[in-house]
Amino acid sequence: MNKLTMISIILGFFIAGSGFFLGLQRTKFFKNTIDMNKALTIKDIVPVVVIGSGAAGYPAALYTSRFKLKTVVILGNKPGGALTETTYVENWPGKEKILGPDLIKDLQSQAKEFGAALFADSVQEVNFSQWPFYIKTEGGKVIYALTVIICTGSTPRMLDVPGERQYWGKGVTTCAVCDAPYYADKEVVVIGGGDSAIEEAMQLAVYAKKVTILVRKGALRAAGSMQEHLHKYPNIEVIFNSEVRAIKGNDEHVTHIDLYNDVTKTVQEMPINGVFLAIGHDPNSRLFKDYLPLDSQGYISLPDRTQQTKIPGVFVAGDVADNRYKQGGTASGDGIKAGIDAALFLKEHGFSYDIMEKMKPNFFDSTQESILHIAEIQTIGQLDKLIKETDGLVVVDFYAPYCPSCMRMLPALGAVAYDLVDKVVFVKSDISMQREIADRYKVETVPYLIVLNKNEIIAKTNNAMSKKELSAFMLDLIEKKDAKVS
Ligand code: NDP
């Protein structure tokens, strides 16, 4: 061995070694041994916890439930996930055409049919360096899991340009299916060149006078079959090489955008009534970053072709780990694989039906979530009477059954209404049935919440909030009201 070869070998060891130690530093080390007997005495335990309730979560729960493993699905802040925000899905194998929300409803009821329990809460914190794994919810519940299947999906991306946050819900949105009816005879732009952009444009074209798709490159990324749909809509135009630089308005609503043309290198003001974002999604992996390796774009990395992560007993499925396919069908396939992987893992580590029987008295009770029914306001007179007779605050939730984020927010409203039952009365009003109340409060978008102290509106918001956000929002208003009284 000559001197040069020796030096290369020593250097090689150093580089490999530092890589190994760097790897350990990046994520917390899993140091616990898996001993099923240890789990027998732990309270609030569950053999399989599925985090997330979309196209990956329900199939995962279906499979583990069919293995007769007690499975709890933590629904998350957007129950049903991305498919609930789409209209027709034409590429679900075996179905020519099905509405996204219907597809999720079917997946949910099939998982429930086989015994999966649904828990309406969202995960706030995990500890994967201990086993059984520790999960804490936003509602303050602690669950211990023998296995976890992460199916948290992804969140729509934002442009990050001036005006975007200011006009969020006032002309800027990511949900055409929710807001399209408000743009009847108006002019709107859709940003993006993928399948979502085409879909949003088609939803809008039914109502709007003109829809312009703004694509930053010189070509669409959308599938050819999606692009072909565009020919059916004479009021849809596509402008290439264009980027939105700013969103402007009159404080109340969007009126213009600054549009940069990458060919002429100029910026022009374009008058517009609405901006619909369809520029892709970012993976919801933040909760797990201390434990699991992520790729450069934040997707959870998988070491091999199974769905098991670097941590034995933690599995992942769907968009949160998929930077390539991102389809409802592939998410479901991943979910099925993760369900089978979790069941095999439990078997390989000595879990049996005998052990499950012994564990049963300690199972986490997923039915303990307390939710109040939110009454529907039918007439303006009914609302006026309620306001007059209520000493505390009155919250009116304007919603529409066709608006997925409205429907997803209802359980959060029910849960917060339960917690604040002595201080706030929550009611809801369906704007597709009852226009008079919506018109009085100038409701232009849903979901839309107004908070009334007698006849004074003390707050309004069009954010689709989680239970935690809504709770913080209401507690702040209650504190301000109490401070004013004293
Ligand atoms: P994609 O990632 O496919 O497309 C995102 C688009 O947004 C691209 O054209 C991208 O441009 C553009 N973009 C990204 N960032 C910016 C920015 N800052 N400014 C302007 N443009 C930007 O996301 P989609 O949400 O469209 O689709 C996600 C997945 O879901 C895909 O796999 C898609 O096939 C699937 N899907 C399927 C549907 C169906 O089958 N019915 C419906 C909707 C989605 P560029 O090309 O330059 O990167």
Side-chain angles (χ1 to χ4, degrees):
M1 193 183 294
N2 66 26
K3 216 169 159 188
L4 199 68
T5 324
M6 278 272 284
I7 291 170
S8 325
I9 290 172
I10 292 166
L11 262 177
F13 268 120
F14 264 112
I15 293 164
S18 60
F20 177 71
F21 285 112
L22 280 176
L24 286 190
Q25 271 171 4
R26 262 190 66 203
T27 53
K28 290 181 187 169
F29 191 48
F30 180 75
K31 53 186 178 299
N32 285 283
T33 47
I34 291 167
D35 172 5
M36 287 298 158
N37 289 318
K38 186 173 140 188
L40 284 178
T41 51
I42 294 175
K43 284 239 161 292
D44 293 321
I45 194 117
V46 183
V48 184
V49 170
V50 176
I51 307 179
S53 56
Y58 284 128
L62 168 69
Y63 268 68
T64 53
S65 301
R66 280 176 60 82
F67 281 113
K68 297 278 171 228
L69 299 165
K70 163 85 177 170
T71 300
V72 172
V73 181
I74 303 178
L75 300 185
N77 284 330
K78 289 190 165 184
L83 277 177
T84 59
E85 288 208 341
T86 174
T87 51
Y88 284 105
V89 177
E90 295 172 336
N91 50 8
W92 185 259
K95 280 264 181 203
E96 256 174 45
K97 210 174 177 186
I98 181 168
L99 281 170
D102 288 349
L103 184 49
I104 287 294
K105 222 185 287 165
D106 290 350
L107 294 176
Q108 187 197 68
S109 54
Q110 195 183 12
K112 269 173 78 180
E113 180 68 30
F114 283 96
L118 312 187
F119 187 55
D121 205 337
S122 198
V123 174
Q124 183 180 54
E125 187 191 338
V126 295
N127 185 347
F128 289 164
S129 64
Q130 66 171 66
W131 187 88
F133 304 113
Y134 169 95
I135 296 169
K136 187 174 179 202
T137 69
E138 285 186 356
K141 301 282 187 297
V142 170
I143 305 171
Y144 292 94
L146 304 184
T147 60
V148 175
I149 306 179
I150 300 168
C151 304
T152 45
S154 55
T155 300
R157 221 173 263 153
M158 304 281 282
L159 276 174
D160 206 15
V161 295
E164 185 180 43
R165 303 254 165 212
Q166 184 187 353
Y167 290 103
W168 184 252
K170 297 174 178 173
V172 183
T173 167
T174 53
C175 184
V177 71
C178 309
D179 292 350
Y182 299 104
Y183 292 88
D185 298 324
K186 302 216 164 120
E187 299 204 5
V188 297
V189 289
V190 175
I191 324 288
D195 289 340
S196 302
I198 306 270
E199 197 178 74
E200 300 245 312
M202 291 191 299
Q203 284 155 16
L204 286 158
V206 180
Y207 297 92
K209 183 161 71 182
K210 179 152 187 216
V211 182
T212 308
I213 303 179
L214 301 174
V215 184
R216 67 175 171 182
K217 286 189 187 149
L220 288 165
R221 184 194 285 200
S225 58
M226 290 293 276
Q227 295 190 33
E228 272 171 20
H229 285 308
L230 290 181
H231 302 307
K232 295 179 226 153
Y233 298 89
N235 58 340
I236 299 182
E237 186 191 356
V238 183
I239 301 184
F240 293 104
N241 304 304
S242 52
E243 281 171 37
V244 176
R245 287 286 164 89
I247 299 171
K248 296 172 169 175
N250 56 9
D251 285 345
E252 290 287 306
H253 208 273
V254 167
T255 54
H256 288 80
I257 53 174
D258 279 350
L259 195 59
Y260 173 73
N261 183 316
D262 198 26
V263 177
T264 60
K265 312 284 181 209
T266 53
V267 177
Q268 274 197 322
E269 226 178 39
M270 177 179 182
I272 211 72
N273 304 109
V275 179
F276 288 78
L277 307 178
I279 57 170
H281 294 75
D282 290 320
N284 296 325
S285 57
R286 193 183 43 83
L287 271 176
F288 316 105
K289 70 175 176 15
D290 288 344
Y291 301 98
L292 300 174
L294 310 180
D295 72 9
S296 60
Q297 291 176 61
Y299 291 87
I300 296 175
S301 303
L302 284 170
D304 57 35
R305 290 203 59 196
T306 71
Q307 300 303 125
Q308 180 162 274
T309 64
K310 195 191 91 173
I311 298 180
V314 177
F315 305 87
V316 64
D319 283 6
V320 68
D322 177 8
N323 193 5
R324 186 177 174 91
Y325 303 104
K326 302 175 194 168
Q327 302 297 304
T330 50
S332 288
D334 286 355
I336 291 170
K337 283 160 64 188
I340 296 173
D341 287 339
L344 287 175
F345 171 89
L346 286 172
K347 192 166 173 241
E348 280 160 13
H349 287 84
F351 189 78
S352 63
Y353 296 120
D354 275 357
I355 289 188
M356 193 157 82
E357 275 309 307
K358 285 186 196 151
M359 248 178 217
K360 237 179 198 169
N362 287 336
F363 274 170
F364 173 73
D365 176 10
S366 54
T367 58
Q368 57 188 291
E369 178 75 335
S370 309
I371 290 187
L372 212 66
H373 172 73
I374 307 286
E376 182 86 41
I377 286 288
Q378 310 284 359
T379 64
I380 209 155
Q382 210 181 355
L383 178 62
D384 287 339
K385 186 164 179 285
L386 177 76
I387 294 169
K388 198 168 155 206
E389 290 172 357
T390 304
D391 285 331
L393 301 176
V394 173
V395 175
V396 187
D397 167 40
F398 292 98
Y399 76 103
Y402 54 75
C403 158
S405 35
C406 303
M407 302 318 284
R408 284 198 300 241
M409 207 168 94
L410 283 175
L413 279 165
V416 176
Y418 181 89
D419 291 345
L420 301 178
V421 68
D422 297 333
K423 296 185 157 67
V424 188
V425 177
F426 284 79
V427 288
K428 61 181 193 250
S429 178
D430 178 351
I431 60 142
S432 63
M433 303 294 288
Q434 223 306 342
R435 277 302 325 167
E436 203 186 351
I437 307 177
D439 287 345
R440 180 203 269 182
Y441 295 106
K442 299 190 174 62
V443 177
E444 268 190 40
T445 180
V446 280
Y448 192 78
L449 280 191
I450 58 165
V451 184
L452 296 149
N453 184 16
K454 292 297 171 193
N455 281 315
E456 183 196 357
I457 298 177
I458 60 164
K460 50 190 174 181
T461 174
N462 46 33
N463 286 337
M465 286 186 271
S466 68
K467 182 187 167 193
K468 188 181 171 193
E469 289 162 342
L470 182 62
S471 188
F473 175 75
M474 288 311 304
L475 287 172
D476 183 47
L477 291 173
I478 291 167
E479 200 178 301
K480 282 183 188 145
K481 176 179 175 270
D482 290 349
K484 218 169 159 185
V485 173
S486 60

